[in-house]
Amino acid sequence: MRSIVVKFAGIGELEIMQRQAIPLVPLVACFLVSVCGAQVDSISGTTGDTGSGSVCASSEAGTTNPPVGRRVVIPWRLAVVGGAALGTLGATYWYLEKTWWSEKPTAFHFDDGADLHYAHNLDKLAHFYGGSIAGDLFSGGLRWAGMRRKAAAWYGFGLGVFVQLVIELKDGYAPRWGYSVWDVACGTAGALFFVGKHYSP
């Protein structure tokens, strides 16, 4: 199987098998959309809930400028964000189905407590970080599409929690794993932490 070698200046090289690289494509697209959203806010010099952002949105949508303080969601950008998100989630699901969940599924069950001893609970930190990153990516994409800052943050929170729930529901049918309440709690806390940053001074 062919592999892809990624070179990092001053660090070294990372070899990725071609099959492993497939799920990274939509993930990178989602990341770029998020970065674009941050750049739009930075260039406009606003927090995203006032005039400059809405002028930019309305000019691309081909409509008259809305009142100051109001944003216009741009349909084609929202479609790009939705497509990137669905592509990322679909590719990730397919990848995990072939690796993490490759064993024959069993009846749905909760984790028997072994999860609290797995990897010295470092995976809980990963779930927290994953929830925060998912919320940030979703929120950044929605901001780029024209959504107001706080609304995008809360939608990002909801979508970040949704991703965590889907993963845990699948784990609930895996014979070696199980639905972990603690994993969901840590992922939710991570997504909520991201929202909290919008309300902190």
Side-chain angles (χ1 to χ4, degrees):
M1 180 181 296
R2 296 178 60 189
S3 63
I4 301 171
V5 177
V6 182
K7 296 184 178 180
F8 298 93
I11 299 177
E13 297 182 353
L14 174 65
E15 185 174 1
I16 305 174
M17 299 306 293
Q18 201 168 30
R19 183 187 298 173
Q20 294 174 322
I22 293 174
L24 298 178
V25 175
L27 182 61
V28 169
C30 230
F31 173 76
L32 291 176
V33 167
S34 177
V35 170
C36 286
Q39 290 299 318
V40 167
D41 286 344
S42 175
I43 293 171
S44 65
T46 68
T47 58
D49 289 338
T50 56
S52 297
S54 59
V55 171
C56 177
S58 61
S59 63
E60 291 196 31
T63 61
T64 58
N65 290 343
V68 173
R70 181 182 174 190
R71 289 183 63 85
V72 175
V73 174
I74 305 169
W76 74 265
R77 287 191 175 190
L78 189 61
V80 170
V81 173
L86 288 175
T88 300
L89 295 176
T92 303
Y93 181 91
W94 173 83
Y95 180 73
L96 292 176
E97 186 74 22
K98 300 295 183 182
T99 56
W100 194 261
W101 302 314
S102 60
E103 297 175 311
K104 184 178 180 180
T106 62
F108 181 83
H109 60 284
F110 286 86
D111 175 69
D112 59 3
D115 184 56
L116 292 176
H117 305 285
Y118 172 72
H120 300 289
N121 285 317
L122 286 177
D123 67 311
K124 301 299 177 288
L125 180 61
H127 278 280
F128 181 91
Y129 185 67
S132 181
I133 290 297
D136 192 8
L137 286 173
F138 281 121
S139 177
L142 293 172
R143 290 283 304 113
W144 178 69
M147 188 174 289
R148 291 172 66 96
R149 179 175 174 265
K150 288 184 179 179
W154 281 107
Y155 273 108
F157 164 77
L159 292 167
V161 172
F162 172 75
V163 170
Q164 299 282 328
L165 283 173
V166 170
I167 292 173
E168 288 307 317
L169 286 172
K170 281 294 293 183
D171 276 355
Y173 292 96
R176 288 195 298 160
W177 314 111
Y179 182 93
S180 171
V181 176
W182 290 107
D183 284 355
V184 174
C186 289
T188 302
L192 196 58
F193 173 77
F194 165 75
V195 174
K197 292 192 297 184
H198 288 273
Y199 290 91
S200 61

